[in-house]
Amino acid sequence: MTERKIILHLDMDSFYASVEIRDNPALSGLPVVVGADPMKGSGRGVVSTCSYEARVYGIHSGMPISQAYHLCPDAIFIRPDMESYARVSSTIMQILTDMAGEIEQVSIDEAFLDLTADQSYEQAAQHASEIKRAIRDQVGLTCSIGIAPSRIYAKMASEQQKPDGLTIIQPSEILSFLSPLPVRSIPGIGKKSAQVLVNAGIRTIGDISRCDIQALQEIFGSHAVRLLQISRGLDCEGLRETGKRKSVSREHTFLKDSVSPEEILGFMHEMVLLLCRELEERDIYSRTIGIRIRYTGFISRTRSVTLIKPTREVRIIEQAIDGLFAEMWDQTPVRLIGVRLSGLVHSDPVQRSLSDF
Ligand code: TTP
Ligand code: MG
């Protein structure tokens, strides 16, 4: 049997509003609406997002700002500062990359991570708590996380306990998690499709799972097969490749925490060999060599070095890794190690440097 993946979905809580409140703590606890100027109720444009205190009044993303004003004229209305949100977002994505290797960022405040290397849901849950803590300590914001055996289930899980939630759905719990949820909980099922389903007496995901494929095909055409699979807990999609991959990486979890630098470097060199082969197959070179070491208790440390010339030579990369490891090694038992090659370029560095002359 193939091993099922462990996928994490992270979504920041009321993102733009939370950044505003973080930067102006006097707003904390108040209904804060980020969006267009309400102009005392005559403003055009919409709500980008709002704090959970404002949501109590029925205000939500996409609502006309004038309507939001009528629902709560005393709310604090703020124009969006996209530059600030983009800066915060890239800090968060960097933390995630440092703590979990490859990530798939899907929006300014959302990303998927593959935690299969954690090997168990208990470990993945601890890892997630560590990620939440790092974002809280380093960025001053809360997020909600879902962990499940596929991308779509992880996303549905992260929705369950917002804000500041952590929801774990193990494979054995998938069906009982899905079955009572309304059909709209499936990402991609909008208002219209949901109405068609409800009109046909199909209200919950459990109802979908009992449908026959022909009936679903009439409503969803070619999407029916996937929908049926999702509803039956059989989906297993992992991270998607986001356009050009920015790095190649490998990880290794020790069965027993390692205290042997020889053993650790041995595994790292093995990973280098595999990664260099991958670079060769894709005809690319890497400029930045990074290693990640996770200790017991999920404290992770990363270190990287950027070379003058991109390379895919095993010996050069091994040397860089030996140097990085020597700087980090302090006898603390190691649970997981990772090697990441980034700064990927297509050109042949030798060719280019020759033609420079
Ligand atoms: P979301 O993650 O959908 O919302 P959120 O982070 O504000 O709140 P939640 O706690 O429910 O996750 O979107 C992220 C940001 O994207 C949000 O802060 C503002 C922006 N956004 C818009 O500008 N317009 C929109 O219609 C939506 C949905 C989001
Ligand atoms: Mg969000």
Short mmCIF file of all heavy atoms in Angstrom, two decimals, residues 50-116:
data_model
loop_
_atom_site.label_atom_id
_atom_site.label_comp_id
_atom_site.label_asym_id
_atom_site.label_seq_id
_atom_site.Cartn_x
_atom_site.Cartn_y
_atom_site.Cartn_z
N CYS A 50 -12.40 41.99 7.28
CA CYS A 50 -12.69 42.69 8.53
C CYS A 50 -12.31 41.79 9.71
O CYS A 50 -12.16 40.58 9.55
CB CYS A 50 -14.16 43.08 8.60
SG CYS A 50 -15.27 41.69 8.53
N SER A 51 -12.16 42.42 10.88
CA SER A 51 -11.81 41.65 12.08
C SER A 51 -12.99 40.78 12.49
O SER A 51 -14.13 41.01 12.06
CB SER A 51 -11.44 42.60 13.21
OG SER A 51 -12.56 43.39 13.57
N TYR A 52 -12.72 39.78 13.32
CA TYR A 52 -13.81 38.89 13.76
C TYR A 52 -14.86 39.67 14.55
O TYR A 52 -16.04 39.32 14.50
CB TYR A 52 -13.23 37.69 14.54
CG TYR A 52 -12.71 36.64 13.57
CD1 TYR A 52 -11.51 36.83 12.89
CD2 TYR A 52 -13.47 35.51 13.27
CE1 TYR A 52 -11.05 35.89 11.96
CE2 TYR A 52 -13.01 34.57 12.35
CZ TYR A 52 -11.81 34.77 11.70
OH TYR A 52 -11.38 33.84 10.77
N GLU A 53 -14.45 40.75 15.22
CA GLU A 53 -15.42 41.57 15.95
C GLU A 53 -16.40 42.23 14.97
O GLU A 53 -17.58 42.40 15.28
CB GLU A 53 -14.71 42.68 16.76
CG GLU A 53 -13.97 42.17 17.99
CD GLU A 53 -12.59 41.58 17.68
OE1 GLU A 53 -12.21 41.49 16.50
OE2 GLU A 53 -11.89 41.21 18.65
N ALA A 54 -15.92 42.58 13.77
CA ALA A 54 -16.81 43.19 12.78
C ALA A 54 -17.71 42.14 12.13
O ALA A 54 -18.81 42.43 11.68
CB ALA A 54 -15.98 43.91 11.71
N ARG A 55 -17.24 40.89 12.10
CA ARG A 55 -18.03 39.82 11.47
C ARG A 55 -19.31 39.55 12.25
O ARG A 55 -20.31 39.10 11.68
CB ARG A 55 -17.20 38.54 11.34
CG ARG A 55 -16.05 38.74 10.35
CD ARG A 55 -15.19 37.50 10.13
NE ARG A 55 -13.95 37.92 9.46
CZ ARG A 55 -13.11 37.12 8.84
NH1 ARG A 55 -13.35 35.83 8.79
NH2 ARG A 55 -12.02 37.61 8.26
N VAL A 56 -19.28 39.86 13.54
CA VAL A 56 -20.48 39.68 14.38
C VAL A 56 -21.65 40.51 13.82
O VAL A 56 -22.81 40.12 13.92
CB VAL A 56 -20.16 40.10 15.83
CG1 VAL A 56 -21.39 40.08 16.71
CG2 VAL A 56 -19.06 39.21 16.41
N TYR A 57 -21.32 41.63 13.19
CA TYR A 57 -22.36 42.50 12.62
C TYR A 57 -22.83 42.01 11.25
O TYR A 57 -23.67 42.64 10.62
CB TYR A 57 -21.84 43.94 12.49
CG TYR A 57 -21.56 44.59 13.82
CD1 TYR A 57 -20.32 44.44 14.43
CD2 TYR A 57 -22.53 45.35 14.48
CE1 TYR A 57 -20.04 45.02 15.67
CE2 TYR A 57 -22.27 45.93 15.70
CZ TYR A 57 -21.03 45.76 16.29
OH TYR A 57 -20.77 46.34 17.51
N GLY A 58 -22.25 40.95 10.76
CA GLY A 58 -22.65 40.42 9.44
C GLY A 58 -21.77 40.94 8.31
O GLY A 58 -22.02 40.66 7.14
N ILE A 59 -20.73 41.69 8.67
CA ILE A 59 -19.84 42.23 7.63
C ILE A 59 -18.90 41.12 7.15
O ILE A 59 -18.46 40.29 7.94
CB ILE A 59 -19.02 43.42 8.19
CG1 ILE A 59 -19.99 44.50 8.69
CG2 ILE A 59 -18.06 43.99 7.14
CD1 ILE A 59 -19.31 45.65 9.41
N HIS A 60 -18.63 41.08 5.83
CA HIS A 60 -17.69 40.07 5.30
C HIS A 60 -17.01 40.57 4.03
O HIS A 60 -17.47 41.56 3.43
CB HIS A 60 -18.41 38.75 5.05
CG HIS A 60 -19.56 38.84 4.10
ND1 HIS A 60 -19.41 38.94 2.73
CD2 HIS A 60 -20.90 38.90 4.33
CE1 HIS A 60 -20.59 39.02 2.17
NE2 HIS A 60 -21.52 39.01 3.10
N SER A 61 -15.95 39.88 3.63
CA SER A 61 -15.20 40.21 2.41
C SER A 61 -16.14 40.27 1.22
O SER A 61 -17.03 39.43 1.08
CB SER A 61 -14.16 39.14 2.11
OG SER A 61 -13.17 39.09 3.09
N GLY A 62 -15.92 41.25 0.34
CA GLY A 62 -16.69 41.33 -0.89
C GLY A 62 -18.00 42.10 -0.75
O GLY A 62 -18.62 42.47 -1.75
N MET A 63 -18.42 42.39 0.48
CA MET A 63 -19.67 43.13 0.70
C MET A 63 -19.48 44.60 0.30
O MET A 63 -18.40 45.15 0.55
CB MET A 63 -20.03 43.02 2.19
CG MET A 63 -21.14 43.93 2.64
SD MET A 63 -21.39 43.79 4.44
CE MET A 63 -22.42 42.35 4.48
N PRO A 64 -20.50 45.25 -0.28
CA PRO A 64 -20.36 46.68 -0.57
C PRO A 64 -20.03 47.44 0.72
O PRO A 64 -20.61 47.15 1.77
CB PRO A 64 -21.75 47.08 -1.09
CG PRO A 64 -22.34 45.80 -1.60
CD PRO A 64 -21.78 44.71 -0.74
N ILE A 65 -19.09 48.36 0.61
CA ILE A 65 -18.62 49.06 1.80
C ILE A 65 -19.76 49.88 2.42
O ILE A 65 -19.83 50.07 3.64
CB ILE A 65 -17.38 49.94 1.47
CG1 ILE A 65 -16.63 50.32 2.73
CG2 ILE A 65 -17.77 51.19 0.68
CD1 ILE A 65 -15.75 49.28 3.29
N SER A 66 -20.69 50.36 1.56
CA SER A 66 -21.81 51.15 2.07
C SER A 66 -22.69 50.29 2.99
O SER A 66 -23.14 50.73 4.04
CB SER A 66 -22.64 51.70 0.91
OG SER A 66 -23.02 50.62 0.07
N GLN A 67 -22.86 49.04 2.59
CA GLN A 67 -23.66 48.12 3.41
C GLN A 67 -22.96 47.85 4.75
O GLN A 67 -23.61 47.84 5.80
CB GLN A 67 -23.85 46.81 2.63
CG GLN A 67 -24.88 45.89 3.24
CD GLN A 67 -24.99 44.57 2.45
OE1 GLN A 67 -24.46 44.45 1.34
NE2 GLN A 67 -25.65 43.60 3.03
N ALA A 68 -21.63 47.68 4.68
CA ALA A 68 -20.87 47.46 5.91
C ALA A 68 -21.04 48.66 6.83
O ALA A 68 -21.22 48.51 8.05
CB ALA A 68 -19.39 47.25 5.58
N TYR A 69 -21.04 49.85 6.26
CA TYR A 69 -21.18 51.08 7.06
C TYR A 69 -22.55 51.09 7.75
O TYR A 69 -22.66 51.41 8.93
CB TYR A 69 -21.02 52.31 6.16
CG TYR A 69 -21.07 53.60 6.93
CD1 TYR A 69 -19.93 54.09 7.57
CD2 TYR A 69 -22.26 54.32 7.05
CE1 TYR A 69 -19.97 55.26 8.30
CE2 TYR A 69 -22.32 55.50 7.79
CZ TYR A 69 -21.17 55.96 8.41
OH TYR A 69 -21.21 57.12 9.15
N HIS A 70 -23.59 50.69 7.01
CA HIS A 70 -24.92 50.69 7.62
C HIS A 70 -25.04 49.65 8.72
O HIS A 70 -25.71 49.87 9.72
CB HIS A 70 -26.00 50.49 6.55
CG HIS A 70 -26.10 51.70 5.64
ND1 HIS A 70 -26.42 52.96 6.12
CD2 HIS A 70 -25.88 51.85 4.31
CE1 HIS A 70 -26.40 53.83 5.12
NE2 HIS A 70 -26.07 53.17 4.01
N LEU A 71 -24.34 48.51 8.54
CA LEU A 71 -24.39 47.47 9.57
C LEU A 71 -23.68 47.89 10.84
O LEU A 71 -24.08 47.52 11.94
CB LEU A 71 -23.76 46.17 9.03
CG LEU A 71 -24.60 45.40 8.00
CD1 LEU A 71 -23.76 44.29 7.36
CD2 LEU A 71 -25.85 44.82 8.65
N CYS A 72 -22.59 48.67 10.69
CA CYS A 72 -21.83 49.09 11.87
C CYS A 72 -21.11 50.41 11.60
O CYS A 72 -19.93 50.43 11.28
CB CYS A 72 -20.83 48.00 12.27
SG CYS A 72 -19.92 48.39 13.77
N PRO A 73 -21.84 51.52 11.74
CA PRO A 73 -21.23 52.83 11.42
C PRO A 73 -20.06 53.17 12.34
O PRO A 73 -19.20 53.96 11.97
CB PRO A 73 -22.39 53.83 11.65
CG PRO A 73 -23.61 53.02 11.91
CD PRO A 73 -23.23 51.60 12.17
N ASP A 74 -20.02 52.55 13.52
CA ASP A 74 -18.94 52.86 14.46
C ASP A 74 -17.67 52.06 14.23
O ASP A 74 -16.68 52.22 14.94
CB ASP A 74 -19.41 52.60 15.90
CG ASP A 74 -20.50 53.58 16.30
OD1 ASP A 74 -20.51 54.69 15.71
OD2 ASP A 74 -21.33 53.23 17.16
N ALA A 75 -17.71 51.17 13.25
CA ALA A 75 -16.51 50.37 12.98
C ALA A 75 -15.37 51.29 12.54
O ALA A 75 -15.60 52.41 12.08
CB ALA A 75 -16.80 49.34 11.89
N ILE A 76 -14.14 50.79 12.71
CA ILE A 76 -12.97 51.54 12.22
C ILE A 76 -12.76 51.14 10.76
O ILE A 76 -12.52 49.96 10.48
CB ILE A 76 -11.71 51.17 13.03
CG1 ILE A 76 -11.98 51.18 14.54
CG2 ILE A 76 -10.53 52.05 12.64
CD1 ILE A 76 -12.27 52.53 15.12
N PHE A 77 -12.87 52.09 9.85
CA PHE A 77 -12.70 51.78 8.42
C PHE A 77 -11.30 52.21 7.98
O PHE A 77 -10.90 53.35 8.20
CB PHE A 77 -13.76 52.50 7.59
CG PHE A 77 -15.14 51.91 7.79
CD1 PHE A 77 -15.98 52.37 8.81
CD2 PHE A 77 -15.60 50.88 6.97
CE1 PHE A 77 -17.23 51.81 9.01
CE2 PHE A 77 -16.85 50.31 7.16
CZ PHE A 77 -17.68 50.77 8.18
N ILE A 78 -10.56 51.28 7.38
CA ILE A 78 -9.16 51.54 7.01
C ILE A 78 -8.95 51.19 5.53
O ILE A 78 -9.45 50.16 5.06
CB ILE A 78 -8.21 50.68 7.88
CG1 ILE A 78 -8.40 51.01 9.36
CG2 ILE A 78 -6.75 50.88 7.48
CD1 ILE A 78 -7.57 50.15 10.30
N ARG A 79 -8.20 52.05 4.80
CA ARG A 79 -7.86 51.72 3.40
C ARG A 79 -6.74 50.68 3.42
O ARG A 79 -5.86 50.74 4.28
CB ARG A 79 -7.30 52.95 2.65
CG ARG A 79 -8.18 54.20 2.42
CD ARG A 79 -9.49 53.94 1.80
NE ARG A 79 -10.46 53.62 2.86
CZ ARG A 79 -10.85 54.49 3.81
NH1 ARG A 79 -10.37 55.71 3.85
NH2 ARG A 79 -11.73 54.15 4.73
N PRO A 80 -6.76 49.77 2.45
CA PRO A 80 -5.71 48.73 2.43
C PRO A 80 -4.32 49.31 2.14
O PRO A 80 -4.20 50.26 1.37
CB PRO A 80 -6.13 47.80 1.28
CG PRO A 80 -7.49 48.23 0.86
CD PRO A 80 -7.73 49.62 1.36
N ASP A 81 -3.33 48.71 2.78
CA ASP A 81 -1.93 49.08 2.55
C ASP A 81 -1.25 47.84 1.99
O ASP A 81 -0.63 47.06 2.72
CB ASP A 81 -1.31 49.52 3.88
CG ASP A 81 0.18 49.83 3.76
OD1 ASP A 81 0.75 49.60 2.67
OD2 ASP A 81 0.76 50.28 4.77
N MET A 82 -1.40 47.63 0.68
CA MET A 82 -0.96 46.37 0.06
C MET A 82 0.53 46.10 0.24
O MET A 82 0.94 44.96 0.39
CB MET A 82 -1.32 46.35 -1.43
CG MET A 82 -2.80 46.31 -1.72
SD MET A 82 -3.69 45.05 -0.79
CE MET A 82 -2.90 43.58 -1.35
N GLU A 83 1.32 47.18 0.23
CA GLU A 83 2.77 46.97 0.38
C GLU A 83 3.09 46.32 1.72
O GLU A 83 3.91 45.42 1.82
CB GLU A 83 3.49 48.30 0.30
CG GLU A 83 4.14 48.52 -1.04
CD GLU A 83 4.80 49.87 -1.10
OE1 GLU A 83 5.55 50.21 -0.14
OE2 GLU A 83 4.55 50.59 -2.08
N SER A 84 2.42 46.83 2.75
CA SER A 84 2.65 46.28 4.08
C SER A 84 2.22 44.82 4.13
O SER A 84 2.95 43.96 4.64
CB SER A 84 1.86 47.13 5.09
OG SER A 84 1.68 46.42 6.28
N TYR A 85 1.05 44.49 3.56
CA TYR A 85 0.57 43.09 3.63
C TYR A 85 1.49 42.16 2.84
O TYR A 85 1.73 41.03 3.25
CB TYR A 85 -0.87 42.97 3.10
CG TYR A 85 -1.82 44.00 3.67
CD1 TYR A 85 -2.85 44.54 2.90
CD2 TYR A 85 -1.67 44.46 4.97
CE1 TYR A 85 -3.71 45.50 3.41
CE2 TYR A 85 -2.53 45.43 5.49
CZ TYR A 85 -3.54 45.94 4.70
OH TYR A 85 -4.37 46.90 5.20
N ALA A 86 2.00 42.67 1.72
CA ALA A 86 2.90 41.83 0.90
C ALA A 86 4.19 41.54 1.66
O ALA A 86 4.73 40.43 1.60
CB ALA A 86 3.19 42.53 -0.43
N ARG A 87 4.68 42.56 2.40
CA ARG A 87 5.90 42.37 3.19
C ARG A 87 5.68 41.32 4.28
O ARG A 87 6.48 40.40 4.44
CB ARG A 87 6.31 43.70 3.84
CG ARG A 87 7.52 44.35 3.24
CD ARG A 87 8.09 45.47 4.10
NE ARG A 87 7.13 46.23 4.86
CZ ARG A 87 6.53 47.35 4.42
NH1 ARG A 87 6.79 47.82 3.22
NH2 ARG A 87 5.68 48.00 5.20
N VAL A 88 4.57 41.45 4.99
CA VAL A 88 4.27 40.49 6.05
C VAL A 88 4.12 39.09 5.46
O VAL A 88 4.64 38.11 5.99
CB VAL A 88 2.99 40.90 6.81
CG1 VAL A 88 2.65 39.86 7.88
CG2 VAL A 88 3.14 42.27 7.44
N SER A 89 3.44 39.03 4.32
CA SER A 89 3.21 37.74 3.67
C SER A 89 4.54 37.07 3.33
O SER A 89 4.72 35.88 3.58
CB SER A 89 2.39 37.95 2.40
OG SER A 89 2.32 36.77 1.66
N SER A 90 5.50 37.84 2.78
CA SER A 90 6.73 37.15 2.40
C SER A 90 7.53 36.70 3.62
O SER A 90 8.19 35.66 3.58
CB SER A 90 7.58 37.93 1.39
OG SER A 90 7.78 39.21 1.84
N THR A 91 7.42 37.44 4.74
CA THR A 91 8.07 36.95 5.96
C THR A 91 7.45 35.63 6.40
O THR A 91 8.16 34.68 6.77
CB THR A 91 7.91 37.98 7.11
OG1 THR A 91 8.33 39.25 6.65
CG2 THR A 91 8.71 37.59 8.34
N ILE A 92 6.13 35.56 6.35
CA ILE A 92 5.44 34.32 6.76
C ILE A 92 5.85 33.16 5.85
O ILE A 92 6.18 32.07 6.33
CB ILE A 92 3.91 34.52 6.72
CG1 ILE A 92 3.48 35.53 7.78
CG2 ILE A 92 3.18 33.18 6.92
CD1 ILE A 92 2.07 36.06 7.61
N MET A 93 5.87 33.40 4.54
CA MET A 93 6.20 32.32 3.61
C MET A 93 7.65 31.85 3.81
O MET A 93 7.96 30.68 3.68
CB MET A 93 5.96 32.76 2.15
CG MET A 93 4.50 33.09 1.85
SD MET A 93 3.35 31.74 2.24
CE MET A 93 1.79 32.64 2.46
N GLN A 94 8.51 32.79 4.20
CA GLN A 94 9.90 32.42 4.47
C GLN A 94 9.99 31.53 5.71
O GLN A 94 10.71 30.53 5.73
CB GLN A 94 10.77 33.68 4.63
CG GLN A 94 12.26 33.39 4.67
CD GLN A 94 12.75 32.63 3.44
OE1 GLN A 94 12.51 33.06 2.32
NE2 GLN A 94 13.40 31.48 3.64
N ILE A 95 9.23 31.89 6.74
CA ILE A 95 9.21 31.06 7.96
C ILE A 95 8.74 29.65 7.61
O ILE A 95 9.33 28.65 8.03
CB ILE A 95 8.27 31.69 9.03
CG1 ILE A 95 8.86 33.00 9.55
CG2 ILE A 95 8.02 30.71 10.18
CD1 ILE A 95 7.94 33.78 10.47
N LEU A 96 7.68 29.57 6.78
CA LEU A 96 7.15 28.25 6.42
C LEU A 96 8.19 27.45 5.64
O LEU A 96 8.36 26.25 5.87
CB LEU A 96 5.87 28.40 5.58
CG LEU A 96 4.69 29.06 6.31
CD1 LEU A 96 3.48 29.15 5.38
CD2 LEU A 96 4.33 28.28 7.56
N THR A 97 8.87 28.12 4.71
CA THR A 97 9.88 27.42 3.92
C THR A 97 11.00 26.93 4.83
O THR A 97 11.46 25.79 4.71
CB THR A 97 10.45 28.37 2.85
OG1 THR A 97 9.35 28.91 2.12
CG2 THR A 97 11.38 27.65 1.90
N ASP A 98 11.41 27.78 5.77
CA ASP A 98 12.48 27.38 6.69
C ASP A 98 12.06 26.20 7.56
O ASP A 98 12.87 25.34 7.90
CB ASP A 98 12.87 28.54 7.62
CG ASP A 98 13.62 29.62 6.87
OD1 ASP A 98 14.05 29.37 5.73
OD2 ASP A 98 13.76 30.73 7.42
N MET A 99 10.79 26.17 7.93
CA MET A 99 10.35 25.14 8.88
C MET A 99 9.84 23.88 8.22
O MET A 99 9.65 22.87 8.90
CB MET A 99 9.27 25.70 9.81
CG MET A 99 9.79 26.79 10.71
SD MET A 99 8.60 27.32 11.93
CE MET A 99 8.55 25.92 13.05
N ALA A 100 9.55 23.93 6.91
CA ALA A 100 8.96 22.74 6.30
C ALA A 100 9.45 22.44 4.89
O ALA A 100 8.89 21.58 4.22
CB ALA A 100 7.44 22.87 6.30
N GLY A 101 10.47 23.13 4.43
CA GLY A 101 10.96 22.84 3.07
C GLY A 101 10.04 23.43 2.02
O GLY A 101 9.53 24.52 2.18
N GLU A 102 9.80 22.63 0.98
CA GLU A 102 8.98 23.11 -0.15
C GLU A 102 7.56 23.51 0.31
O GLU A 102 6.94 22.78 1.08
CB GLU A 102 8.85 21.97 -1.16
CG GLU A 102 8.45 22.43 -2.53
CD GLU A 102 9.63 22.98 -3.32
OE1 GLU A 102 10.74 22.47 -3.18
OE2 GLU A 102 9.42 23.94 -4.06
N ILE A 103 7.09 24.68 -0.14
CA ILE A 103 5.71 25.05 0.17
C ILE A 103 4.99 25.38 -1.12
O ILE A 103 5.62 25.66 -2.13
CB ILE A 103 5.61 26.25 1.14
CG1 ILE A 103 6.06 27.56 0.46
CG2 ILE A 103 6.41 26.01 2.40
CD1 ILE A 103 5.67 28.80 1.26
N GLU A 104 3.67 25.35 -1.08
CA GLU A 104 2.89 25.82 -2.22
C GLU A 104 2.05 27.00 -1.73
O GLU A 104 1.04 26.82 -1.04
CB GLU A 104 1.96 24.71 -2.75
CG GLU A 104 1.13 25.16 -3.93
CD GLU A 104 -0.09 24.27 -4.19
OE1 GLU A 104 -0.14 23.13 -3.71
OE2 GLU A 104 -1.00 24.77 -4.88
N GLN A 105 2.49 28.19 -2.09
CA GLN A 105 1.73 29.38 -1.68
C GLN A 105 0.56 29.54 -2.64
O GLN A 105 0.74 29.52 -3.85
CB GLN A 105 2.64 30.62 -1.74
CG GLN A 105 1.90 31.86 -1.30
CD GLN A 105 2.77 33.10 -1.26
OE1 GLN A 105 3.97 33.04 -1.48
NE2 GLN A 105 2.14 34.23 -1.00
N VAL A 106 -0.65 29.69 -2.10
CA VAL A 106 -1.81 29.79 -3.00
C VAL A 106 -2.48 31.16 -2.98
O VAL A 106 -3.28 31.47 -3.84
CB VAL A 106 -2.87 28.69 -2.74
CG1 VAL A 106 -2.43 27.38 -3.35
CG2 VAL A 106 -3.17 28.53 -1.26
N SER A 107 -2.17 31.97 -1.99
CA SER A 107 -2.66 33.35 -2.00
C SER A 107 -1.78 34.13 -1.05
O SER A 107 -0.82 33.59 -0.50
CB SER A 107 -4.13 33.42 -1.56
OG SER A 107 -4.21 33.35 -0.15
N ILE A 108 -2.12 35.40 -0.85
CA ILE A 108 -1.25 36.24 -0.01
C ILE A 108 -1.16 35.70 1.42
O ILE A 108 -0.15 35.88 2.08
CB ILE A 108 -1.75 37.71 -0.04
CG1 ILE A 108 -0.72 38.67 0.56
CG2 ILE A 108 -3.11 37.86 0.66
CD1 ILE A 108 -0.93 40.12 0.23
N ASP A 109 -2.17 34.98 1.87
CA ASP A 109 -2.14 34.55 3.28
C ASP A 109 -2.36 33.05 3.46
O ASP A 109 -2.74 32.61 4.53
CB ASP A 109 -3.17 35.34 4.10
CG ASP A 109 -4.57 34.80 3.98
OD1 ASP A 109 -4.91 34.24 2.91
OD2 ASP A 109 -5.33 34.92 4.95
N GLU A 110 -2.09 32.28 2.43
CA GLU A 110 -2.43 30.85 2.46
C GLU A 110 -1.34 30.01 1.81
O GLU A 110 -0.84 30.38 0.75
CB GLU A 110 -3.64 30.69 1.55
CG GLU A 110 -4.88 30.14 2.13
CD GLU A 110 -5.88 30.05 0.98
OE1 GLU A 110 -6.20 31.07 0.35
OE2 GLU A 110 -6.31 28.93 0.72
N ALA A 111 -1.05 28.87 2.41
CA ALA A 111 -0.07 27.98 1.77
C ALA A 111 -0.33 26.53 2.19
O ALA A 111 -0.91 26.26 3.25
CB ALA A 111 1.35 28.37 2.18
N PHE A 112 0.10 25.62 1.32
CA PHE A 112 0.09 24.19 1.65
C PHE A 112 1.52 23.75 1.91
O PHE A 112 2.45 24.21 1.25
CB PHE A 112 -0.45 23.37 0.47
CG PHE A 112 -1.92 23.55 0.23
CD1 PHE A 112 -2.38 24.39 -0.77
CD2 PHE A 112 -2.84 22.86 1.00
CE1 PHE A 112 -3.73 24.55 -1.00
CE2 PHE A 112 -4.21 23.01 0.78
CZ PHE A 112 -4.66 23.85 -0.22
N LEU A 113 1.68 22.83 2.88
CA LEU A 113 2.98 22.25 3.20
C LEU A 113 2.83 20.74 3.18
O LEU A 113 1.77 20.22 3.52
CB LEU A 113 3.41 22.66 4.62
CG LEU A 113 4.02 24.02 4.90
CD1 LEU A 113 3.18 25.17 4.38
CD2 LEU A 113 4.26 24.19 6.38
N ASP A 114 3.89 20.05 2.80
CA ASP A 114 3.86 18.60 2.84
C ASP A 114 4.62 18.12 4.07
O ASP A 114 5.83 18.32 4.17
CB ASP A 114 4.51 18.05 1.56
CG ASP A 114 4.31 16.55 1.43
OD1 ASP A 114 4.22 15.88 2.48
OD2 ASP A 114 4.25 16.07 0.30
N LEU A 115 3.90 17.54 5.02
CA LEU A 115 4.54 17.10 6.27
C LEU A 115 4.69 15.58 6.33
O LEU A 115 4.83 15.01 7.41
CB LEU A 115 3.73 17.58 7.49
CG LEU A 115 3.58 19.08 7.71
CD1 LEU A 115 2.95 19.35 9.07
CD2 LEU A 115 4.91 19.81 7.61
N THR A 116 4.65 14.93 5.17
CA THR A 116 4.73 13.47 5.15
C THR A 116 5.99 12.98 5.88
O THR A 116 5.95 11.95 6.55
CB THR A 116 4.71 12.95 3.70
OG1 THR A 116 3.60 13.57 3.03
CG2 THR A 116 4.53 11.44 3.66
#
